Amino acid sequence: MSSKAVALVSAFIALGALNQVAAQNCACGFVDSNNNVWRESIVSIFTQNAGALAAVNADWRIASDSGVSVSNTGFIGTRQYISQNIFQWNNALGIKTSAYTGDNVIRTGEIDTLREDILYGTFRMVAQVPSVPGVVFGFFTYINDSQEQDIEFLSSDPTYYQTVHYTNQPGNVNGNADPQATKDVNITGADFTFFKEHRIDWLSTQTMYYFNQTLQTTITKNVPTTPSLVILNVWSNGDPFFSQGPPTQDAIATIQNVHLYFNSTSFSEAAFNTACVDAGRPAQCPI
Ligand SMILES: *[C@@H]1O[C@H](CO)[C@@H](O)[C@H](O)[C@H]1NC(C)=O
Ligand SMILES: *[C@@H]1O[C@H](CO)[C@@H](O)[C@H](O)[C@H]1NC(C)=O
Ligand SMILES: *[C@@H]1O[C@H](CO)[C@@H](O)[C@H](O)[C@H]1NC(C)=O
Ligand SMILES: *[C@@H]1O[C@H](CO)[C@@H](O)[C@H](O)[C@H]1NC(C)=O
C-alpha cells in the first residue's frame, strides 16, 4: 500500500470514528420520519460480534415461569416460558416454541424490556417470522390486557408470510372482533420470511403500524395511556381459533435487531432539555 493510500485509509478511519461519536451524541434526542421527537433509545443489535444473548442481557429480561394451565383452549396441559427458548440462532436471535413432545407442556419463549416506564415511542424490529404452523409471533407493548398494542403473526394463517394482525387491546367486544381495534392485513407481495422491518408508532392519540417503512394501518381506539414494556415472544396454547398448535417442530422467529426510540416517565422533558443544553445542543439524530 502506498503512503498516500495509508493516509487516505487513516483519514477514512478518523472520519468513521468522528461519525460514530456524532451518531452517539443524541443528547437532544431522535427525530423520526413523521417529525416526532423521542428522548431515549434502546438499540439491540443481535447480529453483533459479542452475540445475540449479550444484547438481550443488556436491556431485556428472559421470561421464565413454572407454567400456567391453558386447558380452557381445549389443550389439556400448561404453557411454560423457558429461558432455553431464547438463543443464538443463525447469527441473530432465535425465539421459539419447542416441538411438542406429548408431555402436556407447551414450551415457549419471550423477552421483555427491563424498562417498564416507556410512554409513547417508535418501536422497530427486523425479523423473519416462523413458518412452522401452530404459533403466534408477537412484537408488542404491554402493561395489562387492556393497555397493549400488538403486531402478531400467526404461523397457521394460510398466507402467514403476508398476513399480519394489528390490535389495540381489547380487540374484542362482547366476544366479537372489534373492527375498530383489530385489523387483519394482507400485504400483497410481502414475504415476512425475509428480514424486513415491522414497526409500531405509539402516539397519544393513535397507533400507527408499519411494514417495510410503509404505513399499513392507523388505530385510534384503545390507544394505551400507561407506561409499558416492550415484548417479543413466540407462543402457542393450542387454541384452535387463534394460535392453533402446539407445533410439531420447533417454530422459530429470527430477529436481527430491535430499535426502540421513546419517551419515559423517568426522564422528564425538563431533564432532557437540560441534558441537551449541557451537551452543547447537538443536532437531533434522525431515525
Ligand atoms: C390496566 O391499567 C389501566 C391503567 O393503569 C387501568 O385503568 C386498568 O383498570 C387496567 N386494566 C386491567 C384489565 O388490569
Ligand atoms: C387474507 O388472505 C387470506 C388468504 O387468501 C384470506 O383467507 C383472508 O380472508 C384475507 N384477509 C383479509 C383481511 O383480506
Ligand atoms: C420495501 O420497500 C422498498 C423501498 O420502498 C421497496 O423497493 C420494496 O419493494 C419493498 N418490499 C416489500 C416486500 O414490500
Ligand atoms: C416526547 O418527548 C419530546 C421531547 O421532550 C416531546 O417534544 C414530545 O412531544 C414527546 N412525545 C410525546 C408523544 O409525548
Side-chain angles (χ1 to χ4, degrees):
M1 201 185 276
S2 74
S3 63
K4 229 182 211 163
V6 169
L8 205 61
V9 167
S10 309
F12 268 114
I13 290 170
L15 198 63
L18 269 178
N19 279 343
Q20 223 161 36
V21 168
Q24 280 163 359
N25 190 355
C26 300
C28 295
F30 304 87
V31 59
D32 71 21
S33 55
N34 300 319
N35 283 321
N36 294 310
V37 174
W38 306 108
R39 304 197 281 257
E40 295 172 77
S41 69
I42 293 173
V43 174
S44 299
I45 308 295
F46 300 120
T47 52
Q48 67 176 352
N49 290 337
L53 293 180
V56 171
N57 291 330
D59 292 295
W60 306 77
R61 182 184 324 108
I62 297 177
S64 153
D65 64 29
S66 53
V68 298
S69 170
V70 292
S71 297
N72 61 333
T73 66
F75 173 86
I76 304 305
T78 56
R79 186 214 59 222
Q80 184 184 20
Y81 282 99
I82 60 170
S83 56
Q84 296 92 316
N85 283 9
I86 302 300
F87 54 105
Q88 176 77 31
W89 176 247
N90 287 346
N91 190 37
L93 179 69
I95 303 181
K96 75 176 176 185
T97 290
S98 306
Y100 182 52
T101 63
D103 65 353
N104 303 97
V105 182
I106 306 176
R107 293 179 180 80
T108 55
E110 173 174 306
I111 57 171
D112 309 332
T113 51
L114 298 173
R115 299 280 299 264
E116 300 193 353
D117 57 357
I118 295 169
L119 184 60
Y120 310 122
T122 177
F123 314 116
R124 302 135 184 227
M125 72 164 180
V126 175
Q128 219 178 22
V129 303
S131 53
V132 171
V135 295
V136 178
F137 172 29
F139 175 52
F140 56 110
T141 72
Y142 182 83
I143 201 67
N144 69 31
D145 291 352
S146 60
Q147 295 278 304
E148 173 176 353
Q149 302 157 108
D150 296 339
I151 295 180
E152 289 174 306
F153 305 96
L154 276 53
S155 62
S156 289
D157 277 340
T159 52
Y160 71 91
Y161 52 86
Q162 52 185 38
T163 301
V164 52
H165 304 261
Y166 298 120
T167 307
N168 284 4
Q169 297 285 356
N172 289 313
V173 172
N174 301 325
N176 296 315
D178 176 353
Q180 287 181 289
T182 186
K183 314 235 185 199
D184 302 333
V185 176
N186 285 337
I187 306 176
T188 309
D191 187 347
F192 303 154
T193 68
F194 284 86
F195 288 105
K196 289 285 172 189
E197 187 184 85
H198 300 274
R199 167 174 160 193
I200 302 173
D201 282 13
W202 177 18
L203 306 173
S204 58
T205 55
Q206 59 187 9
T207 309
M208 299 161 84
Y209 291 99
Y210 290 79
F211 167 65
N212 191 34
Q213 279 96 43
T214 303
L215 180 65
Q216 302 298 330
T217 199
T218 297
I219 298 181
T220 55
K221 193 165 182 181
N222 303 340
V223 177
T225 57
T226 311
S228 295
L229 53 161
V230 174
I231 300 178
L232 281 76
N233 62 13
V234 176
W235 60 273
S236 177
N237 60 9
D239 178 350
F241 302 105
F242 198 65
S243 71
Q244 305 194 35
T248 57
Q249 299 167 49
D250 282 359
I252 305 172
T254 313
I255 301 99
Q256 289 186 329
N257 58 69
V258 174
H259 289 74
L260 311 176
Y261 302 98
F262 57 91
N263 292 350
S264 79
T265 49
S266 311
F267 188 43
S268 70
E269 178 149 308
F272 164 73
N273 287 337
T274 302
C276 167
V277 170
D278 288 354
R281 292 187 186 279
Q284 290 163 335
C285 296
I287 53 167

